[in-house]
Amino acid sequence: MSGTAASKSVSASLTRTPAWRALVAHHRNWTERHLRDLFAADPQRFERFSLEAGGLLLDYSKNLITTETRDLLVQLSLERGLPDRVTALLAGKRVNQTEKRAAWHTALRSGDAAPREVRSTLAAMRVFADALRAGLLQGVTGQPIRNIVSLGIGGSALGPALVVRACAPDTASPRVHFVTTPGEPMTRLLATLDPATTLFIVQSKSFSTMETVRNAQAAKTWLLAGLQATDVGIHFAAVTANVEAAGAFGIAPERLFPMWDWVGGRYSVWSAVGLPAMIAMGSAAFDELLAGAGLMDRHFAEAPPERNMPMLMGLIGLWHHNFCGGASRAVISYEHGLALLPPYLQQLEMESLGKSVTQKGKTLRTGSGTVVWGGLGINAQHAYMQSLHQGTQLVPVDFIAACLPRYDRDTDTQAIILANCFAQSALLMQGVSADDIKRQLTAGGMDAKEAARLAPHQALPGNRPSNTLLLPSLTPHSLGALLALYEHRTFVKAAILDINAFDQYGVEHGKKLAGSLLPELNGKPPATTHDASTSALIRHALKNNGRKP
Ligand code: F6P
């Protein structure tokens, strides 16, 4: 079925499509299968279920799939009009139907083909970042800026903070810091900085997020007091779509870098939101980040579904979640520089896929986004990997590692890292049977009765799926490709489910309600009534923090 014809059938309810029904039947046969038997029966299984794109290797052979599974998932993608939806996304069409906007983050990394405002903003970012890195920008005392503090939250912080951690040298000058939470983190950071040499970048698409505005005000107070000045505007820059609010705050027009409504916060690291990262890593390296993402975009646009890395990851993710019962998904990196990848993907995936109605407003009849979590594998395997190996929940894992270390060429240590990564995914797949345990224990001299007693406790069930993504090494280019891969993986799931990946009303309500509670927590009389719990919690807090009305 062609993409066009398929898209006309996209209105058919997801669970009534022929492919979905075939997958339900197909899954019933899975209960007797074990991955270690599939590997034993097919020496070519790795070759059959792996591919390279954007410089990355994806080994998806350790997933609960056969070629029939893959074929049915590909058929589902066509029945749901995935190719046409991808074309619309990449062409900047209004795929965000509730807010009537495009979600054109791919335009931010399309080089010379990018819209004029993208290219001019990138040019302005380069001038600003290069001047800061050359020590050419001074504060009110004439001293060069040595510390940058990025004030933002969510998509206005997670992306740049991840990129800085992954790609910027520790000796970067100026040093770049990130503050999201008001209060203690801000106070403690400012205590270590000199106002004369510090510049703040207020990163907020709305320029109204309570936490960020609070931090911006604290920064201004700190500067005015510390510099005994009346105008500290040159110690600020802003990345925002709300030019008026930024101007009212006192940020000069030449220090304003635009955000556009066709770029979602969690998809914005490629835009001016990436400015702190460009300052820390340099504009040439930031260009490499964009290039890596652009390479993955072209792969996503051109590769057929059965050879398309984001499509396969999205479709297999749907198979594991909606058919195999994987309620959460772990992203476990054996590359230290990716320590901030899990929180970044939590926002990307859970704010995009955490929905319960379709684009047409109908209740979704199947699971949407999974809970995403994870961490650094070298620590995980001494902690929660126990649960993934012997627990009762199916938790599909994405393992991510690099062939070469990021900084030095200590390949001996890297061998230890990789051995652990590969061991974890192999054990999840093959397990260790009770019979194998008994053989091992008795071979070691244990009597058969004791070995039989211990075997159930030491056996690993296996048959637990994982992907392994191998980067050549962690560079701006490979990071760009990796992040674009996950953006597109997220879109693939949303397209199959026919949900809007680009709005986030669930978090907008929270922002509003918090604003309405604030006056009471500042000791003012209640403006509205609340549920008994909220009212009691406010009273208790006021009683214990001296702000009783
Ligand atoms: O509350 C959710 C959210 O709007 C995210 O989507 C966004 O990345 C974050 O808050 C910050 O919003 P802003 O950039 O407008 O401060």
Side-chain angles (χ1 to χ4, degrees):
M1 184 187 283
S2 76
T4 311
S7 63
K8 290 193 175 44
S9 76
V10 75
S11 55
S13 159
L14 171 61
T15 56
R16 290 203 308 271
T17 58
W20 188 276
R21 287 177 165 163
L23 284 163
V24 171
H26 178 65
H27 179 254
R28 284 194 207 103
N29 303 331
W30 255 99
T31 45
E32 304 84 52
R33 287 192 178 120
H34 197 292
L35 284 169
R36 63 169 167 256
D37 301 330
L38 295 177
F39 270 94
D42 178 7
Q44 297 300 308
R45 186 169 171 89
F46 168 79
E47 286 72 18
R48 209 178 301 284
F49 298 117
S50 62
L51 76 148
E52 294 192 64
L56 313 181
L57 168 72
L58 169 67
D59 171 10
Y60 66 100
S61 63
K62 297 193 182 89
N63 285 308
L64 299 169
I65 57 168
T66 62
T67 48
E68 185 188 1
T69 320
R70 181 174 60 190
D71 293 346
L72 288 173
L73 288 170
V74 168
Q75 181 192 331
L76 177 67
S77 73
L78 297 178
E79 288 177 5
R80 301 297 286 171
L82 181 60
D84 287 352
R85 289 173 183 255
V86 171
T87 303
L89 172 80
L90 300 180
K93 302 293 186 197
R94 277 187 180 182
V95 295
N96 176 353
Q97 294 177 15
T98 51
E99 296 174 311
K100 296 187 171 48
R101 294 172 183 169
W104 210 15
H105 38 282
T106 52
L108 300 170
R109 60 235 189 178
S110 55
D112 296 341
R116 183 195 46 77
E117 66 265 41
V118 171
R119 282 178 282 116
S120 60
T121 300
L122 266 175
M125 288 166 64
R126 289 192 191 100
V127 167
F128 187 63
D130 293 348
L132 279 167
R133 290 169 59 85
L136 300 178
L137 288 190
Q138 294 90 26
V140 295
T141 67
Q143 296 175 66
I145 296 298
R146 298 193 196 290
N147 282 286
I148 302 289
V149 182
S150 174
L151 303 175
I153 202 163
S156 294
L158 290 166
L162 162 59
V163 175
V164 169
R165 176 71 178 270
C167 299
D170 293 336
T171 54
S173 173
R175 287 191 65 91
V176 176
H177 313 267
F178 291 88
V179 177
T180 56
T181 308
E184 180 187 329
M186 181 72 165
T187 307
R188 293 178 67 171
L189 173 65
L190 295 184
T192 69
L193 300 178
D194 174 355
T197 60
T198 301
L199 182 140
F200 295 88
I201 303 178
V202 183
Q203 307 241 122
S204 177
K205 186 172 183 179
S206 61
F207 216 97
S208 65
T209 299
M210 185 191 296
E211 302 93 326
T212 302
V213 171
R214 183 73 180 176
N215 279 333
Q217 287 160 348
K220 186 187 277 190
T221 303
W222 179 74
L223 287 167
L224 290 170
L227 298 171
Q228 300 294 305
T230 53
D231 178 2
V232 291
I234 61 170
H235 288 264
F236 279 98
V239 178
T240 185
N242 190 339
V243 175
E244 296 71 34
F249 180 80
I251 296 179
E254 65 272 17
R255 289 290 180 84
L256 277 177
F257 297 87
M259 290 173 78
W260 303 288
D261 69 6
W262 43 269
V263 178
R266 53 194 176 275
Y267 296 89
S268 65
V269 68
W270 324 97
S271 72
V273 166
L275 180 58
M278 183 188 279
I279 293 166
M281 68 203 289
S283 52
F286 193 83
D287 287 342
E288 275 299 294
L289 180 83
L290 298 177
L295 190 56
M296 185 57 72
D297 293 343
R298 287 190 292 282
H299 166 74
F300 185 46
E302 295 159 7
E306 67 279 2
R307 297 291 304 163
N308 191 303
M309 197 177 280
M311 289 186 187
L312 287 168
M313 286 185 71
L315 289 165
I316 293 169
L318 182 128
W319 167 249
H320 286 152
H321 174 43
N322 297 69
F323 294 87
C324 303
S328 78
R329 191 166 75 80
V331 178
I332 296 180
S333 165
Y334 279 79
E335 170 48 66
H336 190 75
L338 293 176
L340 296 181
L341 182 63
Y344 176 83
L345 294 180
Q346 281 176 331
Q347 186 197 19
L348 174 64
E349 295 193 28
M350 296 175 73
E351 201 169 73
S352 297
L353 299 173
K355 314 287 166 67
S356 52
V357 297
T358 65
Q359 295 264 30
K360 296 172 185 63
K362 303 286 185 216
T363 302
L364 201 57
R365 298 280 175 224
T366 183
S368 54
T370 54
V371 170
V372 179
W373 59 283
L376 289 175
I378 280 297
N379 301 329
Q381 63 192 42
H382 298 280
Y384 53 73
M385 284 306 293
Q386 163 62 36
S387 176
L388 275 61
H389 284 296
Q390 289 190 321
T392 54
Q393 286 207 58
L394 180 73
V395 179
V397 179
D398 284 356
F399 289 104
I400 303 172
C403 300
L404 278 172
R406 186 170 47 138
Y407 277 150
D408 51 29
R409 283 291 174 253
D410 177 359
T411 47
D412 290 346
T413 303
Q414 193 66 5
I416 295 171
I417 304 283
L418 291 172
N420 279 285
C421 177
F422 300 163
Q424 291 299 317
S425 70
L427 274 174
L428 283 172
M429 178 275 288
Q430 64 200 13
V432 182
S433 71
D435 288 343
D436 288 345
I437 296 293
K438 281 185 258 186
R439 270 192 291 276
Q440 288 165 14
L441 294 177
T442 48
M446 187 178 287
D447 71 74
K449 187 164 179 286
E450 179 65 354
R453 185 181 73 83
L454 288 176
H457 301 279
Q458 296 191 13
L460 301 185
N463 225 22
R464 298 191 171 190
S466 69
N467 290 308
T468 298
L469 276 162
L470 271 188
L471 286 58
S473 65
L474 181 58
T475 62
H477 194 276
S478 61
L479 179 64
L482 182 72
L483 298 186
L485 169 63
Y486 276 108
E487 285 181 344
H488 298 324
R489 177 199 187 281
T490 301
F491 179 73
V492 166
K493 275 201 80 178
I496 301 295
L497 297 166
D498 190 29
I499 62 178
N500 184 352
F502 303 111
D503 59 14
Q504 56 282 324
Y505 294 107
V507 286
E508 303 303 346
H509 290 296
K511 288 180 168 181
K512 287 190 193 105
L513 183 57
S516 76
L517 298 181
L518 192 55
E520 284 178 68
L521 282 160
N522 283 326
K524 297 195 173 50
T528 57
T529 55
H530 314 299
D531 62 85
S533 162
T534 302
S535 299
L537 291 171
I538 290 172
R539 282 196 305 275
H540 184 80
L542 293 175
K543 189 170 73 178
N544 287 276
N545 67 14
R547 308 200 74 175
K548 204 160 25 185

